[in-house]
């Protein structure tokens, strides 16, 4: 690769938003250089490319940075036309983008509320709310192997964090919402997703991730006191 | 997609998210029916709850009976569904410039606007000062972004108002109102001269004037919100 040319991805191994970009790059067959960031000691390059939010992932294409994982996914889809990720039809695309915002806002918020709840009744209420959310997703997945139909599509990449990191949250914060009887479609989707060849080799190691999020949760709860 | 198809916008007049959608439709010459969710009512209309059962929020664009939610998504949809020629498009055709516009719109809605409203919501002087600082820092970042993105032209989008102009400009009603009611200067002649000029141009645009209410109406509404939040003087 010529200097400044090519694709670089600044990331952190445990981050679901970063993995999402990696899955998209892999789906498109795009070669890239991965740079691991220590978020407690961010590199000069990361801060130079993203002085605004200072977060990962940052995709750098021919020297130009793109930030925010959903923006990156759309960018990748527009530049590399093969193996399209987003629907072509304007209305279908808008619907898909809406579900993506549902994942990023409602779903993540609902998980966070359970994950950081310390008192029993706060936790119970938060769990009920999260299950309502999962019920919506379960309905959406009825009759489908993936959101994208027979193969992984945009919404699978967007919701993919729930297939792995929700399980991590359940174990770290001692709660259970993924129930195959209550949410059969959602549970099947989780299995289909994590066993798909695109995803299987590209998930963080479970034990290391559990340890990371245990620490992360402890630090966060301590800082709130 | 033709003008003949039924287009409705469910909204509330003070919402920047609604404002941007209406300006975009005006710019595209699209005729639409504006349905105002009545403020002060404790319940939301049946049409809103049916069209946006997940968020129950405005704006909702209903095109030929099909609902669409989330203002930035609606802007992209309007651009794709109603663009007659490439020249009148809201988003840049270059994927990188488009990604940059989308990133800044996300930043404005997700980080900057909450800080702006934070000035109104603040319960203490310190909290107000902190929000003000965040808003000002954000404006300095946006000033730099404007210089790079506009490439010397009048708008973020170049010769015509575009997606990012709409995303940012729709917040100007509240910015001006908060400057007035809280006796602040958030823009700075030395630090954000380009944005000051851009804002003046935006608020003078005919398509914007049709949608954006008088600043005093925002001030009055802001006062009602402060009472509701228990922070009114």
């Amino acid at each position: 690769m010529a200097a400044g040319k090519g694709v670089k991805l600044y990331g952190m191994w445990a981050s679901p938003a970063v993995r999402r970009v990696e899955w998209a790059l892999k789906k498109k067959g795009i070669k890239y250089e991965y740079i691991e960031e220590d978020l407690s000691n961010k590199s000069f390059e990361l801060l130079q490319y993203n002085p605004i939010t200072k977060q990962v992932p940052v995709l750098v294409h021919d020297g130009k940075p793109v930030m925010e994982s959903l923006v990156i996914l759309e960018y990748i889809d527009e530049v590399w036309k093969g193996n399209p990720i987003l629907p072509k039809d304007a209305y279908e695309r808008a619907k898909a983008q809406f579900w993506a915002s549902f994942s990023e806002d409602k779903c993540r918020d609902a998980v966070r509320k359970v994950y950081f709840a310390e008192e029993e009744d706060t936790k119970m209420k938060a769990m009920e709310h999260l299950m309502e959310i999962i019920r919506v997703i379960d309905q959406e997945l009825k009759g489908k192997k993936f959101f994208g139909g027979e193969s992984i599509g945009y919404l699978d990449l967007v919701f993919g964090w729930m297939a792995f990191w929700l399980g991590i949250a359940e174990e770290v914060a001692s709660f259970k919402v993924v129930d195959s009887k209550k949410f059969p479609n959602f549970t099947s989707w989780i299995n289909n997703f994590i066993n798909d060849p695109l995803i299987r080799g590209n998930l963080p190691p479970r034990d290391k991730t559990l340890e990371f999020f245990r620490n992360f949760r402890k630090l966060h709860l301590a800082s709130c006191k | 997609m033709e003008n003949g198809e039924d287009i409705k916008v469910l909204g509330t007049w003070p919402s920047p998210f609604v404002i941007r959608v209406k300006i975009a439709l005006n710019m595209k010459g699209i005729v639409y029916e504006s349905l105002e969710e009545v403020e002060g009512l404790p319940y939301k209309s049946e049409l809103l709850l049916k069209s946006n059962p997940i968020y129950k929020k405005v704006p909702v664009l209903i095109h030929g009976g099909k609902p669409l939610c989330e203002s930035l998504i609606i802007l992209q949809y309007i651009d794709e569904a109603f663009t007659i020629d490439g020249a009148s498009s809201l988003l840049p055709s270059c994927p990188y410039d488009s990604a940059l516009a989308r990133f800044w719109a996300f930043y404005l809605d997700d980080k900057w606007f909450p800080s702006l409203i934070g000035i109104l919501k603040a319960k203490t002087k310190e909290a107000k000062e902190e929000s003000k600082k965040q808003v000002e820092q954000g404006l300095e970042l946006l000033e730099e972004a404007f210089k790079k993105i506009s490439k010397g032209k009048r708008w973020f989008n170049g010769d015509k108002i575009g997606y990012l102009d709409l995303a940012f400009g729709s917040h100007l009603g509240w910015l001006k109102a908060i400057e007035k009611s809280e006796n602040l200067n958030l823009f700075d002649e030395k630090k954000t001269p380009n944005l000051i000029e851009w804002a003046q141009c935006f608020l003078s645009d005919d398509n914007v004037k049709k949608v954006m209410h008088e600043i005093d109406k925002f001030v009055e509404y802001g006062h009602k919100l402060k009472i509701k939040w228990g922070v009114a003087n």
Side-chain angles (χ1 to χ4, degrees):
Chain A
M1 274 179 211
K5 282 256 169 212
V7 179
K8 286 196 222 189
L9 177 65
Y10 288 81
M12 199 276 284
W13 66 270
S15 157
V18 172
R19 289 286 163 168
R20 174 188 283 167
V21 174
E22 291 195 272
W23 297 330
L25 289 167
K26 206 168 154 196
K27 185 171 158 73
K28 293 274 196 180
I30 299 164
K31 285 193 162 63
Y32 64 100
E33 183 193 344
Y34 177 79
I35 295 120
E36 177 69 20
E37 281 287 326
D38 173 2
L39 297 182
S40 63
N41 184 19
K42 292 173 185 177
S43 72
F44 173 76
E45 287 81 12
L46 176 64
L47 296 174
Q48 199 176 41
Y49 283 130
N50 185 8
I52 304 131
T53 63
K54 306 179 177 65
Q55 281 173 345
V56 292
V58 178
L59 186 88
V60 181
H61 182 206
D62 293 347
K64 296 196 282 193
V66 186
M67 288 85 73
E68 287 308 309
S69 63
L70 293 187
V71 176
I72 296 172
L73 252 55
E74 285 199 43
Y75 175 77
I76 287 172
D77 209 31
E78 278 171 50
V79 175
W80 288 274
K81 300 282 185 199
N83 283 328
I85 295 175
L86 277 135
K88 284 275 169 276
D89 174 70
Y91 185 74
E92 291 303 314
R93 186 188 197 87
K95 253 176 44 185
Q97 288 169 325
F98 172 76
W99 281 105
S101 80
F102 175 71
S103 155
E104 297 308 89
D105 299 331
K106 283 256 173 186
C107 299
R108 284 237 293 236
D109 205 50
V111 174
R112 236 180 245 131
K113 284 202 165 86
V114 185
Y115 183 69
F116 288 121
E118 286 190 279
E119 287 171 25
E120 213 39 54
D121 40 305
T122 316
K123 198 170 182 177
M124 286 311 297
K125 268 204 190 101
M127 271 178 68
E128 271 168 35
H129 175 65
L130 177 55
M131 287 196 283
E132 283 306 309
I133 301 274
I134 294 176
R135 191 161 293 123
V136 172
I137 301 172
D138 190 71
Q139 292 275 63
E140 192 59 27
L141 283 165
K142 207 168 179 180
K144 296 191 223 174
K145 186 177 176 192
F146 296 108
F147 285 98
E150 275 311 300
S151 60
I152 285 180
Y154 176 70
L155 286 178
D156 301 283
L157 298 178
V158 172
F159 279 94
W161 65 274
M162 293 189 97
F164 180 79
W165 283 266
L166 177 54
I168 298 286
E170 283 180 310
E171 197 167 324
V172 166
S174 309
F175 68 94
K176 187 120 190 84
V177 289
V178 182
D179 182 323
S180 59
K181 286 206 182 75
K182 286 195 187 126
F183 313 119
N185 309 301
F186 181 62
T187 316
S188 298
W189 170 80
I190 288 176
N191 281 321
N192 293 332
F193 188 81
I194 56 176
N195 286 305
D196 188 276
L198 181 72
I199 308 300
R200 205 167 44 218
N202 210 339
L203 285 168
R206 195 181 165 79
D207 288 340
K208 201 174 161 200
T209 313
L210 281 167
E211 191 193 329
F212 176 87
F213 281 101
R214 271 194 193 108
N215 268 330
F216 177 79
R217 183 171 179 268
K218 212 162 48 177
L219 285 170
H220 179 93
L221 290 173
S223 75
C224 292
K225 294 204 157 83
Chain B
M1 297 281 157
E2 295 310 310
N3 253 343
E5 270 191 328
D6 186 41
I7 298 163
K8 294 183 171 64
V9 177
L10 251 61
T12 54
W13 70 262
S15 160
F17 312 104
V18 173
I19 287 169
R20 60 178 61 150
V21 168
K22 289 185 174 179
I23 299 171
L25 288 168
N26 287 344
M27 284 172 61
K28 295 274 185 181
I30 307 292
V31 173
Y32 62 92
E33 188 185 352
S34 177
L35 297 168
E36 191 76 5
E37 280 293 303
V38 182
E39 26 168 324
L41 285 184
Y43 57 87
K44 301 197 176 187
S45 75
E46 220 183 286
L47 183 58
L48 174 59
L49 294 175
K50 198 176 103 178
S51 316
N52 189 358
I54 289 180
Y55 286 102
K56 306 179 178 66
K57 287 204 281 205
V58 292
V60 181
L61 180 87
I62 306 177
H63 183 197
K66 296 194 286 191
L68 280 163
C69 318
E70 296 299 297
S71 64
L72 294 178
I73 295 173
I74 295 170
L75 287 186
Q76 267 193 266
Y77 174 77
I78 288 171
D79 205 28
E80 281 175 52
F82 300 118
T83 291
I84 307 138
D85 55 71
S88 61
S89 103
L90 295 173
L91 273 161
S93 51
C94 162
Y96 185 74
D97 292 339
S98 184
L100 208 52
R102 277 188 258 122
F103 165 74
W104 281 108
F106 160 83
Y107 167 79
L108 277 156
D109 286 358
D110 200 68
K111 311 250 184 282
W112 185 82
F113 183 65
S115 297
L116 181 67
I117 293 300
I119 296 175
L120 270 188
K121 273 188 173 168
K123 289 194 156 97
T124 65
K125 217 169 109 185
E126 290 78 21
K128 188 168 166 175
E129 200 49 48
E130 180 56 37
S131 289
K132 175 176 171 269
K133 204 172 90 182
Q134 284 169 4
V135 168
E136 286 169 339
Q137 281 171 352
L139 288 174
E140 285 177 46
L141 290 171
L142 286 156
E143 170 81 9
E144 286 313 303
F146 180 81
K147 286 194 275 197
K148 284 198 193 111
I149 295 171
S150 66
K151 300 180 179 118
K153 301 253 170 111
R154 170 173 290 191
W155 306 108
F156 280 96
N157 198 39
D159 290 316
K160 289 206 176 132
I161 287 177
Y163 177 92
L164 184 50
D165 301 284
L166 290 170
F168 189 9
S170 55
H171 290 307
L172 288 173
W174 280 110
L175 186 146
K176 293 275 172 194
I178 289 169
E179 280 187 322
K180 193 167 186 181
S181 70
E182 310 305 299
N183 205 17
L184 296 169
N185 274 322
L186 295 168
F187 281 129
D188 180 306
E189 269 166 27
K190 289 205 184 79
K191 294 184 188 165
T192 60
N194 289 289
L195 288 186
I196 291 174
E197 195 180 329
W198 166 84
Q200 262 166 10
C201 292
F202 188 85
L203 291 171
S204 317
D205 183 270
D206 285 335
N207 288 313
V208 175
K209 287 205 289 210
K210 279 184 215 164
V211 177
M212 188 85 81
H213 282 69
E214 296 291 322
I215 301 303
D216 284 337
K217 272 200 91 181
F218 282 93
V219 171
E220 192 187 320
Y221 194 87
H223 188 69
K224 282 193 199 146
L225 287 175
K226 284 180 91 166
I227 294 173
K228 189 171 125 178
W229 294 328
V231 293
N233 304 331

